[in-house]
Amino acid sequence: ADVTPDDITVPVSRKLGTVCLAVFFILLGLAFLPVPAGPLALFDAFYRSGALVFGGGHVVLPLLRNAVVVPGWVSDNAFLAGYGVAQAVPGPLFTFSAYLGAVAGIPPGGVAGAAIALVAIFVPGILCLLGTLPFWHALRTKRGPQAAMRGTNAAVVGLLGAALYNPVWTSAVLRPADFAVATTGFVLLVVWRAPPLLVVVLSALAGVGLSRVG
């Protein structure tokens, strides 16, 4: 039998949902307060990124870059290298945060830093899910929230384009040879349907060859 929204039982009470939303906004407010470089600063940076992103995984890319590259915790080269590897493996782009937490130049680094970053970036989404679930059925029938969701979905397209341009394009495509490598990779993925891992390996080899020639 077909399942309709009315048939779905929400396992979260309105009280628990309200508490989750309150915790979400409290943590978000605290995440903007200045703290010394360390585990708390790392948690704050990735919590902000996870809380402010919407739409698709790649939208988080400029937020992560602003969180770790701008303050000098991770170099641009290390950031882009990790992003390239993240594209070659399955799973959500949010897992890229584990790599960034591990290589960040502030304590604790390593496995502990990876764990803090990974938990911090997923927590706001979980809190939002639990917080809105009890109210979602009522909201989805109203014109205001429907219009807001349509506008949000449209904005995501622009944000994805902006994320592609900066930091990916501006940091990696600096000369005609770089453009040729990027175009070849695009054709391999889109036209020939080559495995992403193969495209990453071939592009990395091409980049190494170009660096030696240049």
Side-chain angles (χ1 to χ4, degrees):
D2 294 334
V3 178
T4 65
D6 293 329
D7 298 328
I8 299 175
T9 302
V10 178
V12 181
S13 66
R14 287 176 173 262
K15 182 178 180 180
L16 178 58
T18 302
V19 170
C20 288
L21 288 177
V23 172
F24 169 84
F25 285 109
I26 290 172
L27 290 179
L28 181 59
L30 294 175
F32 282 96
L33 297 178
V35 293
L40 185 56
L42 192 68
F43 182 91
D44 286 352
F46 284 93
Y47 185 90
R48 286 197 308 272
S49 299
L52 298 179
V53 69
F54 61 91
H58 288 80
V59 178
V60 79
L61 195 61
L63 293 172
L64 287 176
R65 184 174 182 271
N66 185 70
V68 298
V69 175
V70 172
W73 298 350
V74 178
S75 69
D76 240 337
N77 288 337
F79 183 89
L80 290 174
Y83 171 68
V85 174
Q87 295 306 297
V89 297
L93 187 60
F94 271 23
T95 55
F96 177 38
S97 63
Y99 161 82
L100 296 175
V103 302
I106 62 171
V111 175
I116 291 174
L118 191 62
V119 170
I121 201 169
F122 275 103
V123 163
I126 294 173
L127 289 174
C128 276
L129 174 63
L130 295 176
T132 58
L133 197 57
F135 310 101
W136 180 247
H137 180 60
L139 289 174
R140 64 187 295 273
T141 61
K142 300 183 182 299
R143 291 186 177 182
Q146 289 178 358
M149 289 303 299
R150 288 195 297 269
T152 298
N153 290 334
V156 167
V157 178
L159 288 173
L160 289 174
L164 172 63
Y165 177 73
N166 185 20
V168 178
W169 189 271
T170 57
S171 301
V173 182
L174 305 176
R175 49 185 176 168
D178 298 331
F179 179 78
V181 172
T183 302
T184 302
F186 178 80
V187 171
L188 288 173
L189 281 172
V190 177
V191 179
W192 291 352
R193 305 293 183 181
L197 181 59
L198 176 62
V199 176
V200 170
V201 171
L202 292 177
S203 299
L205 292 175
V208 172
L210 290 174
S211 65
R212 291 181 177 179
V213 173

